[in-house]
Amino acid sequence: MATAYSRGVVFIHSAPRALCPHLEWAVGRAIGRAVNFDWTAQPVLEGARRAEFYWDGPVGTGAALATSIRGWEHLRFEVTEDPTPRSDGGRWLHTPDLGIHYAQTDAAGNIVIGEDRIRYAMEIAAGSAIELQRELDIALGSAWDEELEPFRHASDDARVVWLHKVG
């Protein structure tokens, strides 16, 4: 059986300048080839750098990438892996204060919460709407999104990469 391939993006939302070459090395090692990021200043955090890197590789590369760059202090990142006909997509979020969060995604990029996780949230909530909302916010990674959102907006002025060939 042929290996299924996927693609995605590594968003380094903020990293200390000294960490930048180490992140390139770690990402390159995870995908099996040398990479160079186009680093720019992160206006939200003085002295920090940001980059986006589009990758392609075997299904599961997103998890390998997130694993290879997690754990460094002062690093905020997001890794996405697009779904394929044979596999779910994924989204990994990391902040220094919250650590890492993983969520399964569908073809449109929406987070998918499994039946067991919803049942767990309902059990923990025990009829409390506030507790149910808290549990679902955890499952959705809301705290990670809130912390990363200002850093994401810094890319609004980034140059656009036009895709001429899709598929």
Side-chain angles (χ1 to χ4, degrees):
M1 177 184 272
T3 302
Y5 278 82
S6 186
R7 59 183 168 209
V9 185
V10 175
F11 299 95
I12 305 294
H13 293 299
S14 74
R17 185 181 295 271
L19 189 56
C20 295
H22 300 283
L23 290 167
E24 290 177 358
W25 177 82
V27 167
R29 184 167 183 185
I31 64 172
R33 65 179 187 273
V35 300
N36 291 301
F37 293 174
D38 184 17
W39 293 100
T40 59
Q42 172 51 273
V44 175
L45 185 61
E46 188 174 335
R49 310 293 284 165
R50 63 170 315 281
E52 295 177 12
F53 176 74
Y54 296 84
W55 62 268
D56 60 75
V59 168
T61 298
L65 287 164
T67 299
S68 73
I69 62 175
R70 71 175 233 182
W72 276 308
E73 288 187 50
H74 312 294
L75 176 63
R76 289 171 184 83
F77 72 83
E78 194 167 344
V79 175
T80 65
E81 180 168 325
D82 295 342
T84 72
R86 295 187 205 163
S87 66
D88 297 325
R91 183 172 163 224
W92 295 259
L93 308 170
H94 181 272
T95 73
D97 293 334
L98 298 172
I100 198 157
H101 174 77
Y102 168 76
Q104 177 186 339
T105 58
D106 66 13
N110 297 306
I111 291 176
V112 177
I113 302 174
E115 176 184 344
D116 288 341
R117 182 62 177 99
I118 292 172
R119 288 184 189 283
Y120 172 79
M122 290 168 39
E123 180 180 323
I124 293 298
S128 167
I130 292 171
E131 274 302 305
L132 181 60
Q133 180 177 353
R134 190 183 75 72
E135 285 297 320
L136 292 176
D137 279 343
I138 291 168
L140 290 169
S142 296
W144 285 262
D145 279 332
E146 286 175 24
E147 188 171 329
L148 291 175
E149 196 60 25
F151 295 90
R152 291 176 180 143
H153 284 294
S155 70
D156 289 348
D157 294 327
R159 63 184 174 88
V160 175
V161 177
W162 293 100
L163 300 176
H164 296 287
K165 182 180 178 184
V166 179

